[in-house]
Amino acid sequence: MPQPRPSDVGGDAPVVVSNAAGSFARSVLVERHPALIERVRRATAYPPERQRALDGLLDEITKDVMEPLGEDEADAALWRQWGEGYLGRPWTDAPFLWAESFFYRKLLGALGHFAPGAWQGIDPFAPFKHAELTGAKLDAELTALDGVPALSPAQQDSTLLHASLWGNRADLGFQLSAGEAGLGERVTGLVADDTAALWRLLGEGRPGKVCLVADNAGAELLPDLVLADHLLGTDRATSVTLHIKPHPYYISDATTSDVLGCLARMAAGAGRAVEIAERLRGAVTDGRLVLRAHPFSCAPFPYADMPADLREDFASATLTIMKGDLNYRRLVGDRHWPATIPFDEVTGYFPGPVAALRTLKSDVVTGLSASTVAELDAAGRPWRTSGTHALVRLRV
């Protein structure tokens, strides 16, 4: 795991914390996390010692005092170093990004995920992930892939990119025969859209490596894999490095097991889904689709603090595509930026071209026009956190 404390990248913009009454960040720590503990408890038959550990974590976050990891945890010293100034104080006073990450680390610890024994390596979120990959609805979404070849090349590009963007908020069954129009109000929900510029970049010069930094497993990972297949099949990329998590993280974040599960789900279908699964399996075996699970993917820091080897990986890519809300927060820095601050400015440290595909599910947002912000604010709805809006942003 990386050693540095969080950087000072971000200037005077205050870091998001969770101590403001009524804030989205506070609701995550004081409402969502306790509910998640109970949901995990109900999903799997954990033995008494694990139940007691869950009780202890629930009591800790309810009392709002952040305690260090137990001494028997292999990385306890590292997290104490990272948590200097936070441990022993209220959870809600720590940076939101840091507190969320530490909560999931403590949850895994309570369930024995890293400790030798019968529960080592068990994914507590697997029941939720698996549920997304079953049922007739997903069959219909995969069947909708059969309509992709009927679209024009430009429509295929836009449709598959937007399917990846919206993830589990937009299924693949959005009337592909209608092209972009089939996305309906989802297109109008884009607060910024660099889709055309992204495809122009990938069409310039000789194709190279594309890094695709995944977010969630289940129904969201499927369109990410379809996008990877499209990049390879249209010669926009000679290889795709799919960045996933080395262990469970943030409820539904994708791991290697989840990638394999999605490939198996597509292979068990019919038509184009089976063809895509076969191509992707072949791409894994011949090295054109590389799965990478860097420890920094589960670190409580922004990408401005990435270690040298990860920086070199991104620097060698024609484009890095960051999927999802958490990756966006880590990319721009989890700070109270003015929404109009240029995306290029807050991502200037990144070692190569980078794009963000993000459904808005938290307060942080950058790179919007003043008129867009005024219009969205005037509507009086929580557009930053409701998941009803999205963006495609590119910095070359």
Side-chain angles (χ1 to χ4, degrees):
M1 296 290 283
Q3 297 296 325
R5 289 281 295 163
S7 71
D8 292 326
V9 173
D12 295 329
V15 173
V16 176
V17 294
S18 306
N19 55 14
S23 68
F24 172 78
R26 184 175 181 84
S27 72
V28 170
L29 263 64
V30 304
E31 298 173 15
R32 185 182 298 181
H33 287 176
L36 176 60
I37 290 174
E38 294 308 315
R39 189 180 178 197
V40 166
R41 191 199 302 270
R42 291 194 302 269
T44 303
Y46 290 107
E49 66 271 20
R50 298 301 165 203
Q51 297 283 353
R52 288 191 292 271
L54 288 175
D55 289 339
L57 179 57
L58 181 60
D59 183 65
E60 176 185 332
I61 62 176
T62 300
K63 291 179 178 177
D64 196 20
V65 178
M66 186 182 291
E67 303 291 347
L69 286 176
E71 292 296 333
D72 57 339
E73 298 281 359
D75 55 351
L78 184 58
W79 278 96
R80 279 198 301 273
Q81 175 189 340
W82 288 347
E84 185 178 352
Y86 309 146
L87 297 174
R89 298 179 57 192
W91 279 83
T92 50
D93 284 351
F96 181 38
L97 177 63
W98 200 97
E100 275 195 292
S101 295
F102 192 48
F103 168 77
Y104 283 101
R105 175 61 187 86
K106 295 205 80 172
L107 179 60
L108 291 172
L111 297 175
H113 181 83
F114 300 108
W119 294 92
Q120 187 175 34
I122 298 298
D123 184 348
F125 313 125
F128 317 135
K129 296 174 178 178
H130 293 163
E132 287 197 12
L133 293 180
T134 60
K137 180 181 178 181
L138 192 58
D139 288 334
E141 294 169 3
L142 292 177
T143 299
L145 289 169
D146 294 343
V148 170
L151 303 178
S152 70
Q155 288 175 321
Q156 292 183 34
D157 290 346
S158 181
T159 296
L160 295 180
L161 186 76
H162 286 151
S164 178
L165 162 66
W166 286 100
N168 55 18
R169 282 200 53 82
D171 60 35
L172 291 173
F174 43 65
Q175 299 179 359
L176 283 166
S177 60
E180 291 185 17
L183 290 169
E185 65 181 14
R186 296 184 182 95
V187 168
T188 65
L190 292 177
V191 298
D193 188 7
D194 290 337
T195 297
L198 185 154
W199 288 114
R200 279 198 302 272
L201 173 65
L202 290 174
E204 296 171 349
R206 300 180 61 181
K209 178 178 77 174
V210 172
C211 287
L212 177 55
V213 185
D215 187 24
N216 293 322
E220 181 171 344
L221 185 57
L222 285 168
D224 294 346
L225 291 169
V226 172
L227 179 61
D229 174 71
H230 186 65
L231 291 169
L232 293 170
T234 58
D235 292 326
R236 265 54 172 268
T238 55
S239 67
V240 173
T241 298
L242 183 66
H243 284 256
I244 50 182
K245 301 299 191 296
H247 58 73
Y249 191 59
Y250 275 59
I251 307 178
S252 58
D253 283 14
T255 65
T256 300
S257 293
D258 298 317
V259 174
L260 298 178
C262 283
L263 292 178
R265 182 67 175 86
M266 285 194 286
R272 189 170 176 81
V274 176
E275 297 172 6
I276 293 172
E278 291 175 349
R279 287 197 298 266
L280 289 173
R281 282 174 164 173
V284 172
T285 59
D286 66 22
R288 289 179 300 120
L289 177 60
V290 178
L291 306 186
R292 187 171 192 196
H294 196 286
F296 190 77
S297 295
C298 295
F301 306 125
Y303 280 109
D305 292 320
M306 74 181 88
D309 62 331
L310 187 57
R311 176 175 290 272
E312 291 170 3
D313 190 14
F314 292 147
S316 66
T318 302
L319 176 66
T320 295
I321 301 173
M322 293 280 184
K323 273 293 310 293
D325 195 75
L326 176 59
N327 280 321
Y328 183 86
R329 290 165 56 197
R330 297 185 72 195
L331 176 64
V332 304
D334 203 31
R335 294 174 176 269
H336 290 289
W337 297 111
T340 55
I341 191 171
F343 180 71
D344 288 10
E345 180 177 333
V346 296
T347 59
Y349 71 89
F350 202 81
V354 62
L357 305 186
R358 181 233 184 168
T359 301
L360 276 62
K361 296 179 181 177
S362 64
D363 291 311
V364 178
V365 67
T366 68
L368 305 189
S369 67
S371 60
T372 296
V373 175
E375 180 181 353
L376 292 168
D377 286 344
R381 293 187 291 271
W383 59 272
R384 292 174 182 249
T385 59
S386 63
T388 57
H389 295 75
L391 57 81
V392 180
R393 266 293 179 230
L394 173 69
R395 196 227 73 201
V396 179

